Amino acid sequence: MFMKCDLTGFNVDKRVIPLIKANAVAATVSLLLAVTAALLVLLTRWQVIHLLPVDWYYRILTFHGLVALVVWVVFWEMAGLYFSSTVVLNARQIAPWLGWLSFVLMVAGTGICAFTILTGRADVLFTSYAPLKANPLHYLGIILFAVGALIVCGLFFANLIVAKKEKTYGDGPLPLFTFGLLTAAILAVGTLLPGAVIFVPTFLWSLGLIETMNSTVYRIVFWGFGHASQQLNVAAMISVWYLVAFLAVGGTSINEKVSRGAFFLYLIGINLASAHHLLTDPVPSPSWKVFNTGYFMYLAVLASMIHAFAVPSAIESAQRRRGFTKGLFDWLKNAPWGNPAFSSTFLALVGFGFIGGITGVVNGMEQTNMIVHNTLAITGHFKGTVVIGTTLTFMGVTYYLLPLIFRKKISFFSLAKIQPWVTWIGIAMLSIGFSIIGYLGVPRRHWDITFSGGPFTYTFPEIADLFWVVSVLGGTIAFIGVLIWVFVVVSTVFFGKPVKSKADMDTQMPIVSQPPALEHHKGFVAPGTFVLTLIFIATFIIYATLNWGWLSALWEVR
Amino acid sequence: MALTVPEKGWFQTKIAKDEKAWIIIALIVCLSLFVLMAGWHVVGKQNASSIVYDTSPDEFYKLSQANWRKYKIGEEEGIPVVKPPAGSDVFILATTWRWEPILVLKKGAEYRFHISSMDLVHGFSLQPLNMNFVIHPQYDYVLTFKPTSSGDFRIICNEFCGFGHHTMIGKITVEE
Amino acid sequence: MVEDKTSFLERLLDRPIALLIMSNAIFAVSYFIWGVMKVWTTSPIPEALKETILGGK
């Protein structure tokens, strides 16, 4: 049942490899569908082209939201859960048949949803706020998908418990990468359960078995699912950052206690952040809003900022020990930028922090949320988290999965090297463009912002037109970036040369050995990272000040 | 090490100076944000209200009609134009796909807005100010506004409510 | 006797199921239960207010 991996030395359960492959393939297909839908949506929103008619716009938008925010990332994370709880721990996979059952459930769920949406039976968008009603099949599809994913989380916990009992990974706590994914799996249970909890009554309501659905309860429970599912992406993404820092430069967290402590803070506080979706709702009360979005006094924000130091400092420390000690940023200049997994990770980290992180924290404050709620700025924010962070990270680490799991040398490697940059630039433009347009008042999820057919008209400030061009350009570039990735991945899997030895791997995606140990010294371990984080905090304070200044100029309301 | 068990004593390792400094800075920023959010309720002039009542579409419709009848000054595009006195209760009705009534307000005066939906969840988005609130059916959201600028304003719907969503636009005029 | 040096937090971090329960218990109480209770305890429009609105003037 086991084979020894000649590249990593891990004892690999042969039965888990096809499970990882199947989920990774499903994820790739979903991503391709999601970005194609995204481009159609974007070209409709840009009034100059206004591509789709109104019904198809909302249909494709519903499809895009569900496939991008849930299907793509969750399939990928399932692959990650299998990998981190077996391969990394030299452990066996418990009940692989259950894994296959859940895979079938998830694929079937996705298929049912896609069918109902694309046949016009579920024009309710991703959020499907009751009393907006879809065909019962739509809710059934989501329930099947959530149940499938929950089973995989259960398998993950079972694998961990058995591995510990059988002492497959030595005596001590889990490796950091697996611990991070444990955090993600715990958050996943917290998100998938509410998902099932809210969609079961909604399903019954849609069938006519329940009379009414309370719209506020729906929103509370839905966001317990809808936002928390993005928090598990954050935990999974950061675990991958630690993994890539380790593989690509031999970097390890400069303090394991700090990194694990930060994941622990996520476990306490991050899911409560779901409350920021309800900041401008009539209920629940302000105390509930402040307490929950205060994430227990911002414990989760603190945790993200800790990771924001811990990941680059792991890279910096390793690079410095390897001799790149000149100045503040010699280590960064000499980082392995030719390794697409590394460049993806570093770009994702910068993008996630500076774009997604800063907008997220400020937009998520109770009062400043009033300026951006349901505007395109929110869309801009999550392009800066889910896409530039999570998606880019997952795409990047796939370059390691190809030789390690699929045992193929990457085809068109020079294309692979530029792909992270293309994607990053595109998404950064899209995200910043959308944010600015949103601050100008443009709503999200809106077919025609000239309000044709309405009793009045309204014209948004002209400067918005310029940022529409920036956004459309960015979106198109990002789309091309994803196409390059899909092309490289598909041609590698089907036509790539097999990886026969470690030498084959070293020419493209080397697993770098550990640098010499840190000599005891008193100064800063990562001065470059420290400067980067100070720049970050300065940017954050400027952005927050602008928002609060804007807020104080609005009409008074209480 | 991301892929291996941490070395013995990992829990006792001292935190490096720069990392410790960063954690302290981050903690201070987080605490300030929390204080700002809670403190704005005391010193700030822009806070979402805590007043909300249970209602029903029928009841809210009846109240709205009674309220508009009192202060109606005309009609535009088939929508009543209402000019409520300063300090009064104002009723705003969201229906797919219409905002009613058209309001004429006075700058610097306070009004208690009651906003509710007849059917789906809608988004109350006041432009060009860009102030946004979520409006539910069955709930009367009471927001006390004090217009501090005059001119023509629009209420657009920014929560998806069906294929006519983009035609849902209303008007508020604020006089000097 | 060997002194047990591992702290509470260190042991907790090595217990997946304990972490699972802790994390989701906090989420359930602070977010869901409190939130849904707030929804259930909203009050109807006060009669006095209704009378002034409906009453002719």
Side-chain angles (χ1 to χ4, degrees):
Chain A
M1 156 169 114
F2 281 99
M3 62 175 187
K4 187 106 178 154
C5 174
D6 54 337
L7 300 173
T8 57
F10 283 129
N11 243 344
V12 181
D13 183 341
K14 275 189 235 164
R15 300 166 308 165
V16 83
I17 297 296
L19 273 172
I20 295 175
K21 283 184 180 173
N23 282 282
V25 168
T28 307
V29 174
S30 324
L31 181 63
L32 185 61
L33 292 172
V35 294
T36 309
L39 192 68
L40 294 174
V41 167
L42 183 65
L43 292 179
T44 306
R45 291 234 45 185
W46 192 32
Q47 301 278 150
V48 175
I49 295 184
H50 210 46
L51 186 67
L52 299 174
V54 62
D55 48 351
W56 276 100
Y57 165 73
Y58 289 115
R59 247 160 240 169
I60 298 295
L61 182 57
T62 308
F63 181 79
H64 166 68
L66 194 67
V67 177
L69 280 171
V70 177
V71 179
W72 139 248
V73 277
V74 174
F75 266 123
W76 208 98
E77 278 151 1
M78 297 299 114
L81 289 185
Y82 287 123
F83 179 73
S84 64
S85 66
T86 59
V87 179
V88 173
L89 303 179
N90 305 302
R92 63 193 168 91
Q93 174 62 45
I94 308 301
W97 64 272
L98 257 178
W100 287 110
L101 174 71
S102 68
F103 181 73
V104 170
L105 283 176
M106 288 168 71
V107 171
T110 309
I112 291 172
C113 284
F115 170 75
T116 48
I117 293 168
L118 296 176
T119 52
R121 289 174 169 89
D123 298 321
V124 291
L125 302 195
F126 167 57
T127 47
S128 58
Y129 292 137
L132 213 53
K133 202 186 274 182
N135 188 291
L137 275 178
H138 181 66
Y139 306 112
L140 183 68
I142 299 176
I143 294 169
L144 289 182
F145 186 89
V147 169
L150 266 175
I151 294 175
V152 181
C153 292
L155 288 176
F156 174 82
F157 288 110
N159 286 346
L160 291 192
I161 290 166
V162 171
K164 185 162 190 72
K165 217 162 132 196
E166 296 178 354
K167 291 194 188 299
T168 58
Y169 59 96
D171 192 21
L174 292 168
L176 185 57
F177 171 61
T178 308
F179 183 73
L181 280 173
L182 167 64
T183 308
I186 291 173
L187 298 177
V189 172
T191 170
L192 294 166
L193 277 179
V197 165
I198 196 61
F199 282 115
V200 169
T202 313
F203 171 62
L204 298 176
W205 166 71
S206 173
L207 280 172
L209 298 174
I210 291 180
E211 201 129 306
T212 52
M213 280 292 291
N214 182 303
S215 61
T216 53
V217 172
Y218 179 90
R219 269 173 63 84
I220 292 174
V221 186
F222 175 82
W223 284 115
F225 156 74
H227 197 89
S229 65
Q230 305 314 313
Q231 310 292 19
L232 88 96
N233 294 342
V234 172
M237 166 186 85
I238 291 172
S239 315
V240 172
W241 289 353
Y242 283 113
L243 174 70
V244 173
F246 179 74
L247 295 175
V249 294
T252 63
S253 170
I254 61 172
N255 193 313
E256 287 258 354
K257 179 169 66 175
V258 170
S259 294
R260 283 163 198 263
F263 278 122
F264 182 68
L265 293 182
Y266 277 166
L267 289 176
I268 298 178
I270 202 166
N271 273 347
L272 309 185
S274 300
H276 70 228
H277 284 268
L278 298 117
L279 290 176
T280 63
D281 278 49
V283 268
S285 62
S287 52
W288 180 89
K289 294 173 186 172
V290 171
F291 190 80
N292 280 296
T293 57
Y295 311 163
F296 275 61
M297 301 177 91
Y298 281 94
L299 284 180
V301 176
L302 178 64
S304 287
M305 292 210 264
I306 292 174
H307 289 304
F309 186 93
V311 175
S313 66
I315 297 165
E316 176 170 359
S317 157
Q319 288 283 83
R320 281 184 186 275
R321 279 178 280 152
R322 215 171 261 123
F324 300 110
T325 50
K326 223 170 40 187
L328 279 175
F329 297 115
D330 200 36
W331 61 276
L332 191 57
K333 223 176 79 194
N334 291 291
W337 294 104
N339 175 337
F342 177 83
S343 53
S344 294
T345 293
F346 209 86
L347 289 172
L349 193 147
V350 171
F352 183 83
F354 277 85
I355 301 176
I358 289 179
T359 55
V361 173
V362 176
N363 294 349
M365 295 181 79
E366 194 204 355
Q367 293 89 348
T368 40
N369 181 261
M370 212 186 281
I371 313 174
V372 291
H373 196 94
N374 271 347
T375 69
L376 210 51
I378 300 304
T379 322
H381 154 70
F382 64 72
K383 304 288 167 211
T385 53
V386 189
V387 191
I388 219 168
T390 308
T391 301
L392 189 58
T393 301
F394 289 178
M395 287 160 83
V397 74
T398 306
Y399 293 121
Y400 268 114
L401 282 188
L402 291 172
L404 287 176
I405 303 286
F406 288 84
R407 306 286 301 200
K408 290 286 172 70
K409 279 184 82 166
I410 295 166
S411 317
F412 303 100
F413 192 59
S414 50
L415 272 181
K417 278 196 234 181
I418 60 159
Q419 175 268 321
W421 296 90
V422 176
T423 313
W424 190 84
I425 290 169
I427 294 296
M429 285 169 69
L430 179 67
S431 180
I432 292 169
F434 270 11
S435 285
I436 294 173
I437 297 170
Y439 275 90
L440 296 170
V442 175
R444 66 192 285 198
R445 316 160 127 189
H446 201 277
W447 179 64
D448 182 2
I449 52 169
T450 64
F451 308 97
S452 61
F456 311 105
T457 58
Y458 176 67
T459 312
F460 290 100
E462 255 174 44
I463 186 80
D465 296 344
L466 172 69
F467 287 100
W468 274 114
V469 176
V470 172
S471 306
V472 171
L473 218 60
T476 313
I477 295 172
F479 178 71
I480 294 168
V482 175
L483 284 192
I484 296 175
W485 180 80
V486 172
F487 172 73
V488 170
V489 169
V490 170
S491 48
T492 301
V493 168
F494 289 104
F495 312 108
K497 295 194 189 98
V499 172
K500 292 204 186 87
S501 64
K502 201 164 174 308
D504 277 342
M505 182 126 185
D506 285 346
T507 54
Q508 289 186 336
M509 304 295 300
I511 296 177
V512 173
S513 58
Q514 291 274 301
L518 184 63
E519 282 162 42
H520 193 72
H521 75 136
K522 287 214 162 95
F524 279 14
V525 177
T529 302
F530 191 65
V531 170
L532 287 178
T533 52
L534 289 183
I535 297 173
F536 170 80
I537 212 78
T539 319
F540 175 82
I541 290 171
I542 292 170
Y543 184 74
T545 312
L546 286 174
N547 272 269
W548 284 86
W550 179 316
L551 178 78
S552 64
L554 294 178
W555 284 7
E556 292 176 15
V557 63
R558 61 188 159 83
Chain B
M1 277 176 250
L3 283 179
T4 49
V5 172
E7 285 162 28
K8 283 259 177 300
W10 64 274
F11 202 79
Q12 278 74 34
T13 314
K14 266 182 77 178
I15 303 173
K17 262 188 198 156
D18 38 357
E19 188 158 40
K20 194 183 254 171
W22 169 247
I23 294 174
I24 291 169
I25 295 171
L27 184 64
I28 291 171
V29 169
C30 289
L31 288 173
S32 323
L33 294 179
F34 186 73
V35 170
L36 179 57
M37 208 154 76
W40 197 260
H41 277 277
V42 183
V43 298
K45 304 260 186 236
Q46 292 81 14
N47 288 291
S49 106
S50 57
I51 305 172
V52 54
Y53 299 124
D54 283 335
T55 184
S56 66
D58 281 350
E59 179 188 60
F60 197 82
Y61 183 76
K62 227 168 67 191
L63 291 170
S64 301
Q65 292 296 332
N67 179 260
W68 301 345
R69 215 175 303 125
K70 274 187 228 168
Y71 309 125
K72 187 169 165 180
I73 56 167
E75 208 163 278
E76 202 183 320
E77 303 279 341
I79 304 167
V81 182
V82 171
K83 188 176 179 179
S88 67
D89 290 280
V90 176
F91 281 74
I92 296 186
L93 209 67
T95 322
T96 27
W97 297 293
R98 203 187 239 277
W99 289 106
E100 289 175 298
I102 295 163
L103 285 173
V104 182
L105 306 177
K106 214 163 166 52
K107 186 178 158 184
E110 274 198 345
Y111 300 91
R112 262 188 318 280
F113 279 41
H114 296 254
I115 319 175
S116 188
S117 161
M118 290 292 101
D119 36 52
L120 304 173
V121 177
H122 293 286
F124 176 95
S125 175
L126 188 64
Q127 299 299 337
L129 288 170
N130 212 8
M131 295 178 87
N132 305 284
F133 299 93
V134 179
I135 306 305
H136 287 263
Q138 314 278 351
Y139 291 95
D140 171 10
Y141 199 176
V142 186
L143 291 160
T144 304
F145 278 102
K146 181 173 166 188
T148 51
S149 50
S150 58
D152 251 357
F153 297 88
R154 294 285 181 272
I155 309 168
I156 59 178
C157 178
N158 66 5
E159 187 55 78
F160 174 67
C161 53
F163 293 156
H165 173 44
H166 64 279
T167 63
M168 191 165 166
I169 178 168
K171 189 163 97 170
I172 296 181
T173 306
V174 180
E175 296 173 337
E176 271 295 332
Chain C
M1 252 180 66
V2 187
E3 198 187 344
D4 185 12
K5 263 192 183 160
T6 52
S7 71
F8 172 72
L9 182 63
E10 187 178 354
R11 271 176 287 143
L12 179 62
L13 288 182
D14 205 19
R15 298 221 155 86
I17 302 301
L19 291 173
L20 174 73
I21 294 168
M22 177 211 72
S23 174
N24 288 302
I26 295 173
F27 190 30
V29 172
S30 178
Y31 181 87
F32 290 107
I33 297 178
W34 185 10
V36 172
M37 260 173 53
K38 279 286 171 191
V39 172
W40 281 340
T41 52
T42 49
S43 53
I45 301 178
E47 286 303 322
L49 177 64
K50 270 200 266 187
E51 270 165 39
T52 30
I53 304 292
L54 292 172
K57 190 176 62 176

